[in-house]
Amino acid sequence: MAAPVPDVSPARDRASASSAGPWSLRHLHLDLSVSFAAAGAGRLRGRARLELRCERDGAEGAELRLDAHPALSVSRAALLPPPGGPGDAAGQELPVESRPFASYGSALHIALPQAPRAGQLLTLLIDYEAGEGPGVCWLSPEQTAGKQKPYMYTQGQAVLNRSFFPCFDTPSVKFTYSATVKVPEGFTAVMSATTWEKQKDNTFVFKMSQPIPSYLIALVVGDIVSADVGPRSCVWAEPCLIEAAKKEYDGVIEEFLVVGEKLFGPYVWGRYDILFMPPSFPFGGMENPCLTFVTPCLLAGDRSLVDVIIHEISHSWFGNLVTNATWGEFWLNEGFTMYAQRRISTEVYGLPYTCLEAATGRALLRQHMDATGEDHPLNKLRVVIEPGVNPDDTYNETPYEKGYCFVSYLAHLVGDQSKFDAFLQAYVNRFKFQSITADDTLGFFLEYFPELKEKGVDSIPGFEFDRWLNTPGWPPYLPDLSPGQQLMRPADELAELWAADGLNMEAIEAVDITSWRTYQLVYFLDQVLQKSPLPEGNVKRLSKMYPKISKAQNAELRLRWCQIVLKNNLEAEYSKVKDFLHSQGKQKYTLPLYRAMWGGSEATRALAMEIFSATAPQLHVNVQNYVKKILGLGGAEA
């Protein structure tokens, strides 16, 4: 039985060309056939069936508008007769026209036989083809880990799924979906769905029984296999990565899920599987429900990066279950998720470690605001997305870290962690399967804590809720991260010792780093990088002393070690920079290293050109363009 789709009127979303307001989408069914081309993009042939309900008389005249994209070519739209009623089973053909909307999509205008009545149910059928749209990514064999077969995946957030299927591409509309996907022999299809079944002719059938927004529908077609790692979890990966994935995550996910459920209420999605994407996947992770997509960089070999998955797990409650109604209030997804992630982390790893991780996040926010200027309009929690502006172009650290500070401030006002945890459970329960605004969130907070409402906590001078939402700049309140000092202090002191002119090896050898976890090592390396270049010979000694760092497979440590190698012109270890950039194409790791090489010596510039010419074909096209821009070869703004 499908969960009820709540009747909430969607907030106005300027990033959608659709007539989402007067209509609700009850269910979407996709009939897809995927074929790979010998070179370049393959083709996706689709038929979308939309089961719609008119929410008010006349709606917007005798017309329906959907979000689409120039890369999506519609061949036919038809209105199906009511079930059991008279009429042609193929449906009544409707005039359809694609019109320009914005750089990231178009508007599909479908003429209806007459203006609909409130409560009227309509079923539309749309035949289409999709190729090289921004949300449909086709990888050549060299962009995969196995290097043998091509691969295809979709990425919907924020407004990319309109190039995958015609839809109401706004987070304000939630619906259930099902899909039938036919793929070539030797390939497997997986989707962000609650049930999955393989039928004959290499056809896969999926069903998502909970209502979700369009951006969370995701598909992968590739040479992939799975392995169980828990009672409700498995890992998916290319065959050459599956053993490493199983070893890294066996038993891990369930521990995090159980803590999440204790804090925020039931996990409603059934399964929680992880799909390790090919190395060219440019993102860290995407929280598609039931099936999170992650970078293979998380496979460190020693479980030192498994806690990264806590963020994606936290989205199961904040983002996927309770969703921002528009991308202008993205902080509702990410600020609450950062808070939830750090609550789970505190329960599992303790407060000092979580504070250290949060300090790393705060440093990133500081870096971002220093680069843009604090008063930049994107440094507000409630961002005004002007018509024509791609929501992806507004993405930065603010909704994550300033959002985290605002949620922490709300917890600070409550003054009791267990009471605030209870509020978060009530919040999730109140708004589950809905898309909401900050006004809904803060209104519920004041309703839940009437004593705080009476005190007027929403208008304390300097900390007004309105100021938090609508004024750019540094957060007015910062949570206390001082418990992290007990881990930072030894790392600070050790970095000082390594930056000295004469190395005090006795003092250095007295510090045992074998028990330091990832973020303590990251913090130490960040301090060393800030003090670089170090006196002649020090980095070479450091490398020899700490093979745990200089030979790590942990991507966060590798990134920083490579930056230190470049800043100190340690030519003997340039091969490590080359190996790291050959092994993955994640944007967060790739671009800083090219910037460091290009900003360095003639030797590092030559190294940058050499690595890029060898690895360009295995990178995502966006990352290729960003690197070209850094290297002065033309390309997109990095």
Side-chain angles (χ1 to χ4, degrees):
M1 179 71 184
V5 181
D7 182 15
V8 286
S9 64
R12 177 84 181 98
D13 186 349
R14 285 174 162 179
S16 173
S18 71
S19 46
W23 296 91
S24 60
L25 178 55
R26 297 160 66 80
H27 187 77
L28 168 74
H29 178 74
L30 296 172
D31 218 329
L32 306 173
S33 171
V34 176
S35 55
F36 289 98
R43 293 304 290 169
L44 183 148
R45 278 192 304 283
R47 169 173 278 186
R49 188 180 78 234
L50 295 89
E51 297 172 18
L52 298 153
R53 180 177 188 269
C54 178
E55 296 301 331
R56 55 177 186 261
D57 276 339
E60 294 188 354
E63 180 184 73
L64 174 80
R65 289 190 317 280
L66 295 173
D67 288 302
H69 191 276
L72 191 140
S73 135
V74 171
S75 54
R76 179 177 184 266
L79 184 63
L80 291 186
D88 182 356
Q92 174 187 351
E93 196 145 335
L94 300 175
V96 59
E97 184 194 353
S98 178
R99 295 183 201 163
F101 170 66
S103 60
Y104 54 86
S106 53
L108 201 62
H109 290 250
I110 300 168
L112 302 173
Q114 69 257 338
R117 301 179 318 279
Q120 189 176 346
L121 303 178
L122 296 183
T123 302
L124 276 187
L125 212 55
I126 300 172
D127 291 336
Y128 70 96
E129 274 200 29
E132 268 187 294
V136 183
C137 304
W138 303 90
L139 304 184
S140 61
E142 57 259 47
Q143 290 175 300
T144 68
K147 313 280 188 208
Q148 302 299 310
K149 291 181 180 180
Y151 194 103
M152 174 267 214
Y153 70 91
T154 67
Q155 162 64 25
Q157 194 176 351
V159 289
L160 302 177
N161 265 353
R162 59 190 71 183
S163 67
F164 172 22
F165 53 91
C167 57
F168 293 134
D169 198 4
T170 164
S172 65
V173 174
K174 291 189 170 183
F175 51 92
T176 57
Y177 88 89
S178 51
T180 304
V181 187
K182 186 172 182 357
V183 303
E185 282 301 324
F187 290 85
T188 297
V190 290
M191 289 189 84
S192 53
T194 37
T195 63
W196 179 98
E197 187 193 333
K198 184 178 178 184
Q199 298 184 343
K200 58 182 189 317
D201 300 330
N202 221 36
T203 297
F204 297 84
V205 178
F206 303 95
K207 187 178 171 193
M208 168 50 84
S209 54
Q210 318 278 27
I212 60 170
S214 55
Y215 77 90
L216 290 176
I217 295 179
L219 167 69
V220 158
V221 178
D223 178 15
I224 51 174
V225 291
S226 67
D228 286 335
V229 292
R232 45 185 163 172
S233 301
C234 70
V235 286
W236 289 90
E238 293 177 62
C240 59
L241 289 178
I242 196 67
E243 276 311 309
K246 181 176 165 55
K247 192 174 159 209
E248 198 89 355
Y249 279 86
D250 210 2
V252 167
I253 297 168
E254 188 61 22
E255 180 187 7
F256 297 150
L257 281 175
V258 166
V259 176
E261 288 188 300
K262 186 183 94 178
L263 291 170
F264 314 121
Y267 176 78
V268 303
W269 306 99
R271 293 197 62 75
Y272 187 93
D273 294 348
I274 300 181
L275 172 61
F276 288 89
M277 299 293 279
S280 59
F281 186 59
F283 314 107
M286 180 59 214
E287 67 273 12
N288 303 308
C290 309
L291 185 70
T292 285
F293 291 6
V294 293
T295 171
C297 295
L298 295 191
L299 300 176
D302 58 2
R303 297 194 168 190
S304 56
L305 283 177
V306 294
D307 55 332
V308 173
I309 206 69
I310 300 176
H311 182 85
E312 308 308 335
I313 286 173
S314 299
H315 272 305
S316 306
W317 292 272
F318 305 97
N320 296 5
L321 194 51
V322 181
T323 308
N324 49 229
T326 70
W327 295 114
E329 297 201 308
F330 187 44
W331 78 274
L332 287 172
N333 279 16
E334 295 299 348
F336 274 88
T337 294
M338 292 305 294
Y339 187 86
Q341 167 200 319
R342 288 169 181 157
R343 279 295 294 120
I344 294 174
S345 172
T346 299
E347 295 288 309
V348 177
Y349 299 116
L351 188 58
Y353 185 69
T354 302
C355 287
L356 179 58
E357 183 274 325
T360 310
R362 188 181 295 177
L364 289 173
L365 180 66
R366 182 73 271 168
Q367 216 174 311
H368 158 73
M369 287 204 180
D370 288 346
T372 59
E374 281 197 20
D375 56 357
H376 193 287
L378 292 184
N379 293 336
K380 293 191 287 195
L381 289 182
R382 183 183 273 153
V383 175
V384 178
I385 298 179
E386 299 294 348
V389 172
N390 188 334
D392 276 338
D393 294 340
T394 68
Y395 179 90
N396 64 62
E397 298 293 336
T398 302
Y400 291 81
E401 295 296 343
K402 188 174 179 177
Y404 165 70
C405 289
F406 189 19
V407 181
S408 300
Y409 175 63
L410 298 177
H412 163 75
L413 289 174
V414 173
D416 179 315
Q417 187 66 62
S418 61
K419 279 186 183 167
F420 192 70
D421 288 347
F423 159 74
L424 289 177
Q425 278 208 34
Y427 169 72
V428 168
N429 196 45
R430 167 71 178 81
F431 293 113
K432 62 187 176 194
F433 303 118
Q434 294 183 43
S435 302
I436 65 171
T437 65
D439 293 341
D440 297 321
T441 299
L442 298 172
F444 181 71
F445 175 77
L446 294 172
E447 185 189 309
Y448 188 87
F449 295 110
E451 68 283 9
L452 294 181
K453 184 178 185 175
E454 217 172 286
K455 274 189 192 168
V457 295
D458 54 335
S459 50
I460 297 169
F463 300 94
E464 300 90 343
F465 288 2
D466 184 72
R467 175 182 169 170
W468 273 102
L469 295 177
N470 298 312
T471 305
W474 194 243
Y477 168 86
L478 295 170
D480 175 20
L481 303 182
S482 59
Q485 283 298 331
Q486 68 185 72
L487 300 177
M488 289 183 212
R489 203 171 301 109
D492 277 324
E493 288 165 0
L494 187 60
E496 285 288 348
L497 289 169
W498 280 105
D501 271 328
L503 289 178
N504 179 345
M505 290 314 292
E506 194 182 333
I508 286 171
E509 282 163 9
V511 182
D512 178 14
I513 69 161
T514 52
S515 63
W516 288 13
R517 290 180 51 80
T518 298
Y519 281 105
Q520 195 172 8
L521 292 167
V522 159
Y523 181 81
F524 166 65
L525 292 179
D526 282 343
Q527 305 317 301
V528 170
L529 184 60
Q530 275 177 26
K531 298 173 194 304
S532 292
L534 303 188
E536 187 69 32
N538 285 21
V539 175
K540 197 174 173 183
R541 293 278 301 267
L542 193 153
S543 172
K544 202 172 167 189
M545 173 107 182
Y546 304 133
K548 175 179 179 169
I549 291 172
S550 60
K551 294 183 176 169
Q553 287 307 299
N554 177 314
E556 293 289 332
L557 301 182
R558 287 177 85 179
L559 166 67
R560 287 162 175 85
W561 184 248
C562 289
Q563 288 172 309
I564 289 167
V565 162
L566 292 168
K567 192 90 181 274
N568 289 275
N569 295 313
L570 189 63
E571 290 191 32
E573 297 202 17
Y574 284 176
S575 60
K576 287 184 178 163
V577 180
K578 193 186 292 189
D579 290 347
F580 188 43
L581 288 171
H582 272 264
S583 73
Q584 57 77 42
K586 185 180 168 183
Q587 191 169 305
K588 181 187 162 190
Y589 300 145
T590 301
L591 302 187
L593 289 179
Y594 276 103
R595 287 194 193 103
M597 287 187 282
W598 203 246
S601 63
E602 281 303 310
T604 61
R605 283 186 158 215
L607 181 68
M609 285 297 197
E610 177 201 329
I611 295 172
F612 184 60
S613 63
T615 60
Q618 72 189 41
L619 295 174
H620 186 278
V621 64
N622 291 359
V623 180
Q624 281 179 31
N625 287 333
Y626 291 148
V627 176
K628 282 180 187 170
K629 183 80 179 169
I630 293 166
L631 304 185
L633 303 171
E637 282 296 332

